[in-house]
Amino acid sequence: MSLIDRFLNRIIRHGTLELTDHQGRTRSFGTATPGFPDVAIRLADKDVASFIALHPRLGAGEAYMDGRLIIERGDIMQLIQLVRANAPWDKGGDLKPRGPLRKLVKAIGGRIDQINPAGRSQRNVAHHYDLDDRLYDLFLDADKQYSCAYFTDPANSLEQAQDDKKAHIAAKLALRPGLRVLDIGCGWGGMALYLNRVADVDVLGITLSQEQLKVARRRAEEAGVADRVKFELIDYRALTGSFDRIVSVGMFEHVGVPQYETFFRQCRKLLAHDGVMLLHTIGRMGVPGATDAFTTKYIFPGGYIPALSEIVRASEPSRLIATDVETLRLHYAHTLRLWYQRTAEKQAEIEALYDARFFRMWTFYLAGATAAFEHGGMCNYQVQFARSRHALPITRDYMAEAEAQYRSG
């Protein structure tokens, strides 16, 4: 227990954590502080403490999943918030330059799992997105938008915020009736159908998920627009043709750094000379880093969250012009809290679909992600690209005008 005690004494300063070991002995850490949680946990057996200490990247998550770390007061969201809020990314840290060896080790360790040829990419996508569709129905909005929403007011509903996200993105695409749009990583088809509906454009959505493809095609048929909104199961690297606009929402996180230049080179080939592209991705504030072990093993194998420098640097060889960059700092935190709340409310249904261990894994993932956006170094980037400097108006007024129009219906 000494390792755990030393760690908690060092980390927990604000808020309180009560820890009870398998023999019933209790210790407390921290000081009650307004705005910080009060949490109590129990370790179910004599080996949990050493397991967590010896496996710092996975131990706590796996112990929680396996029912060996039990939360007796509060919940997993509050436990993770307590730890992360005591060490916020933007209020400290070592600002000394990283040595070349440390950079090299981190780069190599974080890149091997991101080599994603087409076959491996499809397996990675299936790991997460080919889960039972009923799971996503339980916590997403009705349009099944599985990406950061856009909160014009933090009090807005999830449905309103996701509608506003689609309007925000559509406005940056500078759409006109009849344009041909490519949606890379189209999910269940919501964005493609929205763009067709509000802007009278033709859309091709591509995905590597068999389950998402079936749903997207069914939705297009039901909406009576299957002749104008089409979906294909194809890797972006294998696609040919020319498109006036390209949009990609929540897909770039699965590309992997070794393929970044390939991704942008392919986008340039597919984009018309006067075309416009909008990339919406989870991002990493500060310098490049590495994907955490829990996410890699259980949630998004092969995934990586890019720093802004990595996105821009990879686009430069293709001579794509970054015409607009926006950082969404807290929008995903609001989104994830609503997803977590809905997931917690549907515990019985989710455990019936899978089991209690899966439910704990899923809530650990959502709680950890929320803390990363509230206190860690995560954000969202929306980067607009163009091939020609003349492709867009020279001021951003057109974005606000179009967004107001789309949001007004």
Side-chain angles (χ1 to χ4, degrees):
M1 291 295 293
S2 59
L3 286 175
I4 296 292
D5 287 357
R6 286 201 296 269
F7 170 77
L8 294 175
N9 269 321
R10 186 175 74 252
I11 293 295
I12 308 300
R13 299 184 303 277
H14 306 293
T16 61
L17 176 65
E18 184 179 278
L19 171 65
T20 303
D21 66 19
H22 70 288
Q23 294 180 322
R25 296 173 299 189
T26 298
R27 291 175 294 286
S28 296
F29 306 89
T31 303
T33 307
F36 286 77
D38 171 30
V39 181
I41 63 175
R42 178 166 56 87
L43 304 183
D45 61 73
K46 64 182 179 62
D47 297 322
V48 182
S50 59
F51 177 77
I52 294 173
L54 292 172
H55 303 87
R57 300 179 67 210
L58 279 170
E62 291 187 336
Y64 175 70
M65 286 169 57
D66 293 336
R68 301 173 69 196
L69 188 161
I70 300 165
I71 301 175
E72 298 191 318
R73 184 168 63 248
D75 61 12
I76 189 61
M77 175 73 84
Q78 290 175 302
L79 174 59
I80 294 176
Q81 289 288 326
L82 178 61
V83 174
R84 293 301 296 265
N86 269 283
W89 179 89
D90 48 356
K91 289 188 178 178
D94 181 7
L95 300 181
K96 297 178 182 178
R98 295 184 298 169
L101 180 60
R102 182 182 171 192
K103 288 181 181 179
L104 179 62
V105 170
K106 196 164 189 178
I108 293 174
R111 299 298 184 258
I112 292 174
D113 287 340
Q114 297 167 34
I115 299 173
N116 291 321
R120 185 174 183 180
S121 290
Q122 187 156 6
R123 290 192 299 272
N124 288 342
V125 167
H127 177 91
H128 192 88
Y129 295 101
D130 284 349
L131 294 172
D132 194 310
D133 270 354
R134 289 172 293 177
L135 169 68
Y136 295 104
D137 289 335
L138 290 172
F139 73 93
L140 297 180
D141 63 302
D143 196 40
K144 296 184 81 166
Q145 291 291 307
Y146 192 28
S147 57
C148 174
Y150 184 72
F151 288 81
T152 60
D153 182 336
N156 283 352
S157 68
L158 180 61
E159 282 70 21
Q160 180 66 57
Q162 291 292 12
D163 281 345
D164 289 343
K165 183 267 298 291
K166 287 175 284 190
H168 197 61
I169 289 173
K172 295 183 178 186
L173 288 169
L175 299 168
R176 301 188 307 274
L179 292 184
R180 191 169 187 228
V181 181
L182 171 64
D183 183 357
I184 302 178
C186 61
W188 292 276
M191 178 62 73
L193 292 165
Y194 176 85
L195 296 178
N196 167 262
R197 184 171 68 251
V198 302
D200 192 26
V201 293
D202 297 307
V203 188
L204 172 64
I206 62 172
T207 179
L208 293 178
S209 167
Q210 295 275 5
E211 295 302 315
Q212 289 184 333
L213 179 69
K214 289 189 293 186
V215 173
R217 284 178 169 173
R218 185 186 71 237
R219 293 180 68 188
E221 290 284 352
E222 291 172 351
V225 296
D227 58 329
R228 300 193 65 192
V229 183
K230 301 178 181 180
F231 300 98
E232 298 293 341
L233 188 77
I234 187 171
D235 190 282
Y236 70 92
R237 289 163 285 199
L239 190 64
T240 59
S242 178
F243 298 88
D244 303 296
R245 301 290 186 267
I246 296 177
V247 63
S248 184
V249 180
M251 176 271 182
F252 194 68
E253 300 91 325
H254 305 286
V255 170
V257 177
Q259 288 76 230
Y260 279 3
E261 288 193 17
T262 299
F263 175 85
F264 284 112
R265 187 164 56 247
Q266 177 69 347
C267 288
R268 179 183 170 85
K269 289 180 181 178
L270 295 169
L271 196 60
H273 176 71
D274 60 349
V276 177
M277 174 179 170
L278 193 283
L279 180 70
H280 171 113
T281 179
I282 299 173
R284 185 185 305 273
M285 295 184 284
V287 300
T291 305
D292 69 276
F294 185 88
T295 299
T296 297
K297 182 174 181 178
Y298 292 103
I299 308 300
F300 294 117
Y304 173 73
I305 305 304
L308 182 60
S309 59
E310 293 175 292
I311 299 172
V312 175
R313 185 182 302 115
S315 70
E316 291 170 346
S318 297
R319 296 195 180 184
L320 286 170
I321 305 167
T323 45
D324 189 82
V325 179
E326 181 177 10
T327 304
L328 305 179
R329 292 162 288 109
L330 288 167
H331 294 266
Y332 217 163
H334 296 317
T335 307
L336 285 157
R337 278 197 170 272
L338 291 175
W339 287 349
Y340 178 88
Q341 178 183 329
R342 292 180 175 205
T343 297
E345 291 169 353
K346 300 295 184 179
Q347 178 175 354
E349 290 94 325
I350 293 172
E351 291 184 356
L353 281 176
Y354 292 98
D355 54 29
R357 186 175 189 270
F358 179 92
F359 175 80
R360 289 193 291 268
M361 178 198 76
W362 203 256
T363 51
F364 188 90
Y365 147 57
L366 293 175
T370 303
F373 283 91
E374 290 185 345
H375 306 290
M378 296 294 106
C379 65
N380 280 81
Y381 294 120
Q382 288 188 352
V383 186
Q384 183 196 60
F385 294 98
R387 283 186 57 176
S388 168
R389 71 191 72 195
H390 304 291
L392 291 160
I394 62 173
T395 72
R396 302 176 83 253
D397 294 350
Y398 71 94
M399 293 185 192
E401 292 166 3
E403 185 169 351
Q405 175 187 339
Y406 295 143
R407 288 179 59 196
S408 70

